[in-house]
Amino acid sequence: MFGIINFEAFLLAGLLMNITPGADSMYILGRSIAQGKKAGILSALGISTGAIFHIIFATLGLSILLAKSAAAFEIVKYLGAAYLIFLGLKTIFKRADEKFELGNETKRVNYRKIYFSGVLTNILNPKVALFFLAFLPQFIDPEYVQSSLPFLILGFTFLLTGTIWCLILALFASKLSHRIRKNYKIKMWLDKVTGGIFVALGIKLALLKK
């Protein structure tokens, strides 16, 4: 139907890939624990929004450019790596004399910035684009490869299951953070860990081979 084959296998494979810890999962966990439930949820939604761009790019065939052009791959890769490292260093070296009061959290946290950080983190990861390009065609009838419909259906199905999983991660992590965020010293430690995660993700992305 719609040029899609082995849809059940696609769902199973997609679910397994979603729950496998990766850069997106670590990003959401870090935000949720350090900055709370709303930050985690917006990070998850930001990641999902970024994935929409990759789905559209894959559908239009733009991902082929990343697969065939070493220059384009390197440019996008290093932009994404630099952004993650910048984000991590900024978190690590946050002013140590900032007071942390749970009651004023909504006034201090820029949720719009957190959302768009999630979007950029996903968009600037060429591995995501290449994943869609390599994964989706395996479940499309060769006679329908010129059609955009099966790509869109599979892409947004994967996006839906991935978003649900990311929201579960955000809610679970924020449950743990509610108690420990009341302790200022623990909060500062979490900021350092979160920043370290972002830097590590940036380095990992920079070392990614085409």
Side-chain angles (χ1 to χ4, degrees):
M1 183 179 294
F2 303 113
I4 298 173
I5 57 177
N6 299 322
F7 185 69
E8 295 78 8
F10 169 80
L11 282 178
L12 178 59
L15 288 172
L16 291 175
M17 290 181 181
N18 284 327
I19 66 177
T20 300
D24 292 347
S25 299
M26 295 304 294
Y27 181 85
I28 294 169
L29 286 173
R31 286 292 193 186
S32 300
I33 293 175
Q35 296 175 299
K37 179 173 66 176
K38 187 172 182 178
I41 290 175
L42 287 175
S43 294
L45 294 178
I47 292 292
S48 297
T49 302
I52 292 177
F53 286 89
H54 286 296
I55 293 171
I56 294 175
F57 292 160
T59 300
L60 298 177
L62 295 181
S63 294
I64 297 177
L65 177 65
L66 295 181
K68 293 186 176 181
S69 172
F73 181 89
E74 294 298 316
I75 290 173
V76 176
K77 179 181 74 171
Y78 286 119
L79 281 175
Y83 178 75
L84 281 173
I85 292 174
F86 166 76
L87 201 62
L89 292 176
K90 184 178 180 181
T91 304
I92 291 174
F93 295 107
K94 185 183 295 183
R95 288 178 54 187
D97 58 347
E98 289 182 351
K99 292 184 179 181
F100 180 73
E101 297 178 3
L102 190 61
N104 294 330
E105 180 183 340
T106 56
K107 296 181 180 180
R108 296 182 303 100
V109 180
N110 188 331
Y111 291 114
R112 178 178 296 181
K113 186 175 181 179
I114 289 174
Y115 170 77
F116 284 108
S117 291
V119 175
L120 287 176
T121 296
N122 193 277
I123 288 179
L124 295 177
N125 187 348
K127 191 175 181 179
V128 179
L130 294 176
F131 163 77
F132 278 112
L133 184 65
F135 184 61
L136 298 186
Q138 299 181 48
F139 301 92
I140 296 178
D141 189 320
E143 295 183 1
Y144 289 81
V145 292
Q146 302 299 323
S147 173
S148 61
L149 184 58
F151 281 95
L152 289 173
I153 294 176
L154 292 177
F156 280 98
T157 298
F158 183 83
L159 175 65
L160 176 61
T161 58
T163 300
I164 293 174
W165 172 248
C166 287
L167 290 174
I168 291 174
L169 279 181
L171 293 173
F172 176 76
S174 64
K175 290 289 185 180
L176 298 178
S177 70
H178 182 70
R179 297 178 182 177
I180 57 181
R181 283 188 297 116
K182 294 180 180 179
N183 186 309
Y184 178 74
K185 292 182 179 180
I186 294 180
K187 189 267 179 185
M188 293 302 297
W189 178 80
L190 285 174
D191 282 342
K192 306 300 182 186
V193 172
T194 301
I197 290 174
F198 291 163
V199 171
L201 291 175
I203 294 175
K204 181 180 179 181
L205 180 57
L207 297 176
L208 177 67
K209 298 295 183 180
K210 184 176 183 299

